[in-house]
Each structure stands twice: as C-alpha cells, then as structure tokens.
Amino acid sequence: MSAPPVPPKGHTRVASEDRRVNLPRRRTTKGPLDLDDPLSPSSPPPTPAKMASPPPPTPMPLAPPKDLSFLMQPQLFHPLPPSSHPAPFLALPPPPVSSSPSQLLASLHLRAAAIAAANAITATPSPAPQELFALWHTRLTALLLLGPPHAATAAQEVKAFSDLSSSFYRDPATGAHIVPWALRVLSVRLQSHATDWRRGISSYYELAREARTAALDPALPLETRTLWRQRLSELGVRVASACVELGDLACAVRALGSLQGEGVAGMRALVLVRAGMGAAAAAECGDATVRALVAMVEGRWEEAVDEWAELAEAEAGGAGAEMARCNWAVCELYQGKLKQARETLEGLIDEGIVFPGLVFNLATIYELCGDGSKKLKLQLAEKVAATGREMTNVSFKM
C-alpha cells in the first residue's frame, strides 16, 4: 500500500502558462493614405506589381449645360425712347434691316444696335451661350457710347449677371470662365458707375489676380501669356482711372507708377495735369501735348496756342491734329476771342470731323452767342447727323 502524498510546506510558486498572443508590429504611417515614400532610402525596391500601369480612368460624365435663361428675359431691357435724340437724327433713313447688331455698332448706329441686340437676346430660338454674351456686350457698349442717360441704363441692365466672380460662371470640367474677358471688364466698369468706384477697384484686382496667374503659367503658349500680360497692364490703367473718379489723384499716380510700356509716362503726366501739378507733369513727360496742357493749366494761353498750332501742323491729317485744333479753339475762347474759336470749331465740323468733345465745346460757344443758340444747335445737329455719327441731346446741351 502506497503512502499518501505529503502536502507542501509553506508557499510555493506555480509556473503558469503564457497565453498572450504575439501581435504583428504596426507600421509607421507616412500620411493620410499610409503610402510608402518611393524616394526614401529605407523603402524596399519596387516590385513588378507596384510598377504595373494603373487601370484606365473612368470617364467623367459631361456636365449639364448652364441654364442662362435668366439673361434672356424681356423685362431686363429698358425701352429707348427716341426723344433722347435731336430731331435731325430721327429724320435719317433707318439702317438696313439685314444688318447684325455688331454691324450696326460698327457703323455707329448706336440706338439701333442696342435695340437689335435686345431683340436677338429675347428671340426664339434662344442664342447659344457665346452668341448670347456677344449680344450683351454689343447692347451695353452701344448704351455706354450713347452718353450719360443711357450709360445709367446700361448700369442697371448689367445687374442681371449678378456676381460674375461666382463659381456658376466657371466651366466645371476645366475651371475656365465662360464669360468673355471684354464683357467681364465692361461689367465691372458699369457696376462701379452704378454703385461705388471702390468696389470697382476691388473687382479689378480680382481680375488682375486671374490675369497674373495666367501670364506666369509656363504651360500656356507664349502668345497666350503675352495676351494676359496686356490684359494685366490694361487693368492697371483702369484702376488708375477709377482712382481719378474717386478724386484720389495721388493713388492714381502710384497705380500707374508700377506699370511699364509705351505711353505709361504720358498717362502719369495727364493725371498730374489733372491734379494741377504742371511742373511734375512736364518733368514726367516732355511730350508736346503735355507741354500744351501744362500751359493751359497754368493760364499761359498765348504759349498754349503756339504749342497747339505746332502740334496741329506736325500731326496734319491725323487724329492728333483734330484734337490740337479743338484745344486751340478752347484757348482762344479763354482769351476772349469768341469769333475765332467759333470759326475754328465750325471749320472742323464742315470738314466732316465729329467727336463728342468738339460738339460739346461748339454748343457751349453757341450758348455764349446770345438768344439764337437753340437754332444754332439744331443746325449743328443736322451737320453731325449727316456724318452718320449718332449723338443724344446731352452732347448738344439740349
């Protein structure tokens, strides 16, 4: 018979079984997608599986066309009553019915161009997007050229576009703006005219940011980048013009100071002339036109007449000569030579030369001639109408 087991004395350590599971060590993450860096020296060499070409991308579905019907509503366009034009213009034969709005604008049938553009926008079938924008540009340009009353109408109508910087006017596939550049710039000018030039300056800077990005994009052809550089320079001039409208001439000079290119020095000089800083303008640009304007600003009329006479002779047959002769007449007017000033301006009209400043100055002289000014203005309107240039009552101070 075996002896019973002897109980252990005191406490003894019983070996337990290790049941812990050895988990694999977690890799160090390298980013949101937890991808290995192929340029890291610690990365394993790429395997054929990693170097395999990716599967072809799934074609993106075509974005639906933009709904631009809100730009084709007849109620957007204001009527253009014929009462805004002098009677001689209303007696002229209408332009050819077959003429397109752009052709009417090119031939200076401004009111007819504006009306034809509005009719084409609201016609059925609706115009394609690019044609629609071209018609809008023709409409707004014609109204702007018609003068102050119609320029205010254009500023009201352009509100139909709302915010042209919104993503709605971007192509969802390419990100390109679907509205032509010229219409975008024109809309900024008109909206500034209706609200505040400060807002216009801000909008010009937004356009400039886009132009600068495109001008520095090496992926674009050289011709395209050159075009964007020209647009950027043009925006700088428009910013300076807006500063002049605000009366901040010092800011206008600074804005032009950052620009380069032909004619920029002359622009800065003209702003300085506007500010009455004749000496600074002459130092900025020694052009004959600037010298003559400085003489006018400082009241040196005899010297100004001599400068304009020399310029008219040097620019004979060109637009510079017409401008010089008009300013020559203004100097004669300030000298009290009313008859000579009138003869100078009427001589330009008789030669078929017509532009707004000339007509306005001659209408002013007629008002100084006495009670017969209304008859003289009507005769002037007949002569202007015969040239084919369309003007409103405001141009004749009627």
Side-chain angles (χ1 to χ4, degrees):
M1 181 176 178
S2 61
V6 181
K9 296 181 180 180
H11 296 282
T12 60
R13 183 176 181 273
V14 180
S16 61
E17 182 182 358
D18 188 359
R19 298 181 180 181
R20 291 178 298 177
V21 177
N22 294 325
L23 298 177
R25 175 174 292 184
R26 186 177 183 273
R27 295 179 300 155
T28 303
T29 59
K30 298 181 183 298
L33 301 180
D34 197 18
L35 295 176
D36 291 331
D37 184 3
L39 301 181
S40 173
S42 60
S43 299
T47 63
K50 289 185 179 181
M51 297 179 63
S53 60
T58 304
M60 295 289 293
L62 295 177
K66 300 282 187 181
D67 182 10
L68 301 174
S69 59
F70 64 95
L71 296 175
M72 308 176 194
Q73 304 302 318
Q75 60 268 25
L76 295 176
F77 304 102
H78 297 68
L80 304 179
S83 58
S84 60
H85 290 66
F89 290 92
L90 303 179
L92 294 175
V97 181
S98 59
S99 300
S100 65
S102 59
Q103 291 173 335
L104 293 171
L105 179 62
S107 61
L108 298 179
H109 292 88
L110 303 179
R111 181 172 177 271
I115 294 175
N119 292 337
I121 291 172
T122 58
T124 303
S126 301
Q130 291 306 312
E131 182 184 0
L132 171 66
F133 295 137
L135 290 170
W136 264 101
H137 186 268
T138 299
R139 167 79 178 187
L140 298 176
T141 301
L143 292 176
L144 189 61
L145 292 176
L146 278 172
H150 297 292
T153 300
Q156 291 295 324
E157 293 183 357
V158 78
K159 292 180 180 179
F161 286 90
S162 187
D163 184 12
L164 278 174
S165 63
S166 67
S167 58
F168 173 81
Y169 293 104
R170 294 281 178 180
D171 188 314
T174 64
H177 210 287
I178 64 174
V179 180
W181 180 263
L183 180 55
R184 296 169 64 189
V185 175
L186 179 60
S187 67
V188 171
R189 176 181 177 183
L190 291 174
Q191 290 174 353
S192 303
H193 183 275
T195 55
D196 185 10
W197 284 104
R198 292 178 179 83
R199 177 182 176 185
I201 292 175
S202 176
S203 299
Y204 282 141
Y205 272 110
E206 290 181 6
L207 293 176
R209 187 180 303 110
E210 178 180 346
R212 185 181 297 107
T213 301
L216 298 176
D217 188 355
L220 296 177
L222 178 60
E223 295 79 3
T224 304
R225 283 180 286 162
T226 302
L227 174 62
W228 281 107
R229 290 191 185 97
Q230 294 173 353
R231 290 174 173 177
L232 185 60
S233 179
E234 176 192 350
L235 289 173
V237 175
R238 291 184 178 275
V239 168
S241 177
C243 292
V244 172
E245 294 291 342
L246 288 170
D248 193 346
L249 302 179
C251 183
V253 173
R254 289 196 300 271
L256 291 172
S258 61
L259 301 180
Q260 297 179 354
E262 183 179 359
V264 175
M267 295 177 190
R268 286 195 292 265
L270 291 178
V271 175
L272 293 171
V273 169
R274 174 76 178 270
M277 303 169 63
E284 181 70 34
C285 178
D287 185 75
T289 301
V290 174
R291 292 198 305 269
L293 290 173
V294 170
M296 292 179 68
V297 168
E298 296 178 351
R300 295 180 280 113
W301 303 113
E302 290 290 347
E303 183 177 342
V305 167
D306 294 339
E307 291 283 357
W308 290 123
E310 293 178 5
L311 186 60
E313 183 178 357
E315 300 286 340
E322 300 167 3
M323 179 270 298
R325 291 168 64 186
C326 183
N327 287 323
W328 183 352
V330 173
C331 294
E332 291 176 332
L333 177 62
Y334 276 94
Q335 288 178 296
K337 301 177 181 179
L338 184 62
K339 181 180 178 180
Q340 292 89 329
R342 175 177 172 177
E343 291 175 352
T344 301
L345 297 182
E346 287 180 340
L348 288 169
I349 296 292
D350 293 338
E351 294 175 15
I353 299 171
V354 173
F355 52 91
L358 168 61
V359 173
F360 187 87
N361 289 334
L362 187 52
T364 301
I365 290 178
Y366 286 158
E367 290 181 343
L368 299 175
C369 289
D371 297 334
S373 62
K374 184 176 181 180
K375 181 180 179 180
L376 293 173
K377 291 178 182 180
L378 285 174
Q379 294 174 353
L380 174 61
E382 293 175 357
K383 293 180 180 179
V384 174
T387 65
R389 179 64 186 266
E390 186 175 356
M391 293 187 180
T392 59
N393 292 325
V394 176
S395 301
F396 299 90
K397 304 183 72 173
M398 298 174 65

